[in-house]
Amino acid sequence: MSVEPLHYKSITEISELFRSGEVRPSEVTEAILTRIAKLNGELHGYALVLAERAMAQAKSYDGEIAKGIWRGPLHGVPIGLKDLCYTSFATTAGGTMIHASFVPSFNATIVDRLERAGAVTLGKLKMTEGAYTSHHPDDQAPLNPWNVNYWVGSSSTGSGVATSAGLCYGSIGSDTGGSIRFPSATCGLTGIKPTWGRVSRYGVFPLAVSLDHVGPMCRSAADAAAMLGVIAGADVNDPTALQAPVPNYLAGIGDGIRGLRIGVDRKYTQDGIDPQIVTALLEAERTLRDLGADIREVKFPSYEKLVSMWIPMCSVETAEAHLETYPSRKSEYGPDLAQLIEQGRSVSGVQIAAIHHERLKFSGSLAALFSEIDLLLIPTMPVPIPTLAKMSEYGADPNVLLSILRFTAVFDFSGSPTITLPMGMASDHMPLSMQLVGPHLAEDVLARAAHAFQSVTDWHTRRPPVDCGATIGAAN
């Protein structure tokens, strides 16, 4: 049996190594920091590395675990934070130049929850400017560890790169139009975009408040479930956070999916979709059927009009979020975010009302669909991962952006939970990705279904061809 390098072990595996005393958190943290020092200069996943603080945390957890104190599956596990999460102990720039020196007076709720659970905070991960589509011109964008000539998605770029390359065991991402799902897809990861409000956004820089979701990006469904269980839940500081109790997402993750009703709409998932995506999705469907799922053909609600409304909706909410600094500091903004804000400042109340009504209709139709099925199976993107050259050709063509948003943006409008996971490899040796979508608060079912798929496939265990470094402390 091959031995996985320590930096690529799962959160659940490394957690058990800590509990058994075979490896200490400080040993693992030091190894990951060494790996970051070796690779981050090439991949640019981290905006800021907090090496001294991380080692101090890890050494304190050494002592706790040695005394039999156990905080849960993240105890001693090194993770990374997308740099829109407020941290009182480090700058929080949100991918902008305006906030490059901003040190908040408090932590985001999710940061406090992760650290109370014993996670080691390695640093802040790079992201696009303001969590929109592109990095500020003065910022070096992260590079895809699978192939630096390929797109790494947006906006949780550093989260995708660092988690995929073994520079952390899991990370926090955010998703307004697909920004947990795109970097998960391009980097071969498993990411959960939770139900809107399932995870508090207190202390998280907004892009578009009614569309923003915060969730985990990991290398397996079980790892994502472990992280979600820590960060989810009601928050007195965020009145939009849902009050529903948080289940133990890991407790039933291995229960299988026999009898689970999974819907497929072949027109939605095949018309105009690259043949490699279609072939891989059909194979994933067969795998789920073999696991006992009840595959049902369904008709997905009309979505085209709503997708076309994502940019104006995002723009007006982004304009509102940046009122304190735009247009007063307009010159410090990059062109793409500035253009979005300018568009938002010109959107009329009538346009907003039309978007709101379309959103309500779609959300209602989707809820009705989920009365017939438990989950929906769809791709993450309509095409294999594009090269940077191809993305450059696309430029600011809104039709290209809308095409890419086909399988993502509508579920930000509806607030529906999804899990993104690898389903194959393209002819260019880059990952292919699928999504499972569920009704509100179905994250436990999503994690269970994805885990079942990953228990009989190995796509999520494929690693990018970056330097693996030394294997230390490996389990037998």
Side-chain angles (χ1 to χ4, degrees):
M1 186 172 120
S2 63
V3 178
E4 182 91 290
L6 185 70
H7 50 264
Y8 279 140
K9 288 190 178 298
S10 69
I11 288 174
T12 50
E13 287 173 329
I14 208 73
S15 179
E16 285 305 309
L17 291 177
F18 291 156
R19 294 193 77 176
S20 70
E22 190 169 344
V23 182
R24 297 188 307 275
S26 61
E27 181 182 2
V28 169
T29 299
E30 184 175 22
I32 299 299
L33 287 169
T34 298
R35 185 167 172 79
I36 292 170
K38 179 179 181 180
L39 293 178
N40 195 60
E42 175 188 354
L43 298 176
H44 309 287
Y46 280 86
L48 177 67
V49 179
L50 303 169
E52 186 175 338
R53 185 178 186 275
M55 284 303 302
Q57 281 184 303
K59 288 176 181 177
S60 72
Y61 298 148
D62 287 352
E64 288 183 359
I65 294 171
K67 294 175 183 175
I69 299 170
W70 185 244
R71 301 193 191 193
L74 296 189
H75 199 173
V77 177
I79 58 100
L81 300 172
K82 184 174 181 177
D83 198 26
L84 46 54
C85 302
Y86 279 26
T87 46
S88 62
F89 49 83
T91 55
T92 303
T96 70
M97 295 298 109
I98 289 176
H99 300 297
S101 301
F102 173 56
V103 180
S105 60
F106 62 93
N107 291 334
T109 295
I110 55 174
V111 173
D112 282 339
R113 287 177 177 175
L114 286 164
E115 295 210 328
R116 281 199 300 268
V120 174
T121 302
L122 292 168
K124 308 298 287 291
L125 297 162
K126 284 199 172 189
M127 56 178 286
T128 57
E129 185 183 17
Y132 190 46
T133 55
S134 63
H135 288 260
H136 190 281
D138 294 338
D139 188 23
Q140 167 64 55
L143 300 177
N144 195 320
W146 287 86
N147 187 321
V148 296
N149 296 311
Y150 280 70
W151 190 49
V152 77
S154 64
S155 66
S156 309
T157 50
S159 301
V161 168
T163 308
S164 180
L167 307 185
C168 60
Y169 288 92
S171 58
I172 292 297
S174 68
D175 194 305
T176 307
S179 296
I180 287 172
R181 289 164 288 171
F182 292 141
S184 292
T186 62
C187 293
L189 300 177
T190 301
I192 295 178
K193 181 194 82 67
T195 306
W196 190 83
R198 175 79 286 191
V199 175
S200 169
R201 289 174 292 101
Y202 179 70
V204 175
F205 270 126
L207 174 59
V209 167
S210 78
L211 299 170
D212 290 347
H213 302 65
V214 180
M217 296 170 62
C218 298
R219 294 191 290 266
S220 72
D223 285 0
M227 285 193 71
L228 182 63
V230 167
I231 63 175
D235 179 12
V236 294
N237 292 313
D238 179 1
T240 69
L242 300 177
Q243 297 295 314
V246 180
N248 181 342
Y249 295 113
L250 287 175
I253 200 167
D255 288 350
I257 57 171
R258 186 159 301 281
L260 196 71
R261 301 167 301 169
I262 299 180
V264 294
D265 180 337
R266 305 205 187 282
K267 180 176 175 59
Y268 180 47
T269 61
Q270 295 183 14
D271 284 8
I273 308 304
D274 186 277
Q276 291 188 82
I277 302 287
V278 173
T279 298
L281 194 70
L282 288 172
E283 182 58 35
E285 179 187 320
R286 283 190 288 272
T287 299
L288 293 166
R289 181 182 287 110
D290 290 345
L291 287 165
D294 176 10
I295 305 297
R296 299 188 177 188
E297 299 217 14
V298 298
K299 182 174 174 52
F300 191 69
S302 176
Y303 66 93
E304 294 89 348
K305 186 175 181 181
L306 189 60
V307 171
S308 73
M309 291 173 161
W310 183 84
I311 293 176
M313 188 66 195
C314 183
S315 72
V316 73
E317 292 200 24
T318 304
E320 188 276 332
H322 287 259
L323 282 174
E324 289 187 10
T325 53
Y326 195 100
S328 61
R329 300 175 66 180
K330 179 178 178 179
S331 64
E332 297 171 68
Y333 279 73
D336 291 342
L337 184 57
Q339 181 182 29
L340 181 74
I341 293 172
E342 288 289 353
Q343 179 175 346
R345 290 167 66 87
S346 67
V347 173
S348 72
V350 172
Q351 287 176 281
I352 296 169
I355 295 169
H356 180 59
H357 296 159
E358 191 66 24
R359 183 179 194 171
L360 289 174
K361 286 191 293 184
F362 174 83
S363 298
S365 297
L366 186 63
L369 176 61
F370 281 123
S371 69
E372 304 169 9
I373 58 173
D374 300 302
L375 301 177
L376 185 71
L377 173 64
I378 62 172
T380 307
M381 300 196 301
V383 294
I385 304 166
T387 62
L388 292 174
K390 179 61 71 175
M391 290 301 292
S392 179
E393 285 177 21
Y394 292 157
D397 183 347
N399 293 322
V400 173
L401 178 58
L402 293 177
S403 173
I404 291 175
L405 292 173
R406 172 174 177 166
F407 296 116
T408 57
V410 290
F411 303 113
D412 288 304
F413 272 121
S414 65
S416 307
T418 87
I419 190 164
T420 299
L421 62 156
M423 67 170 177
M425 299 292 287
S427 59
D428 54 10
H429 310 293
M430 297 295 286
L432 296 173
S433 177
M434 70 186 198
Q435 286 184 92
L436 291 165
V437 186
H440 286 199
L441 296 175
E443 290 86 357
D444 55 341
V445 183
L446 290 167
R448 176 161 54 91
H451 180 74
F453 181 82
Q454 291 181 340
S455 70
V456 295
T457 60
D458 68 353
W459 303 116
H460 68 293
T461 68
R462 308 289 180 97
R463 305 298 177 220
V466 294
D467 178 12
C468 289
T471 300
I472 66 169
N476 294 322

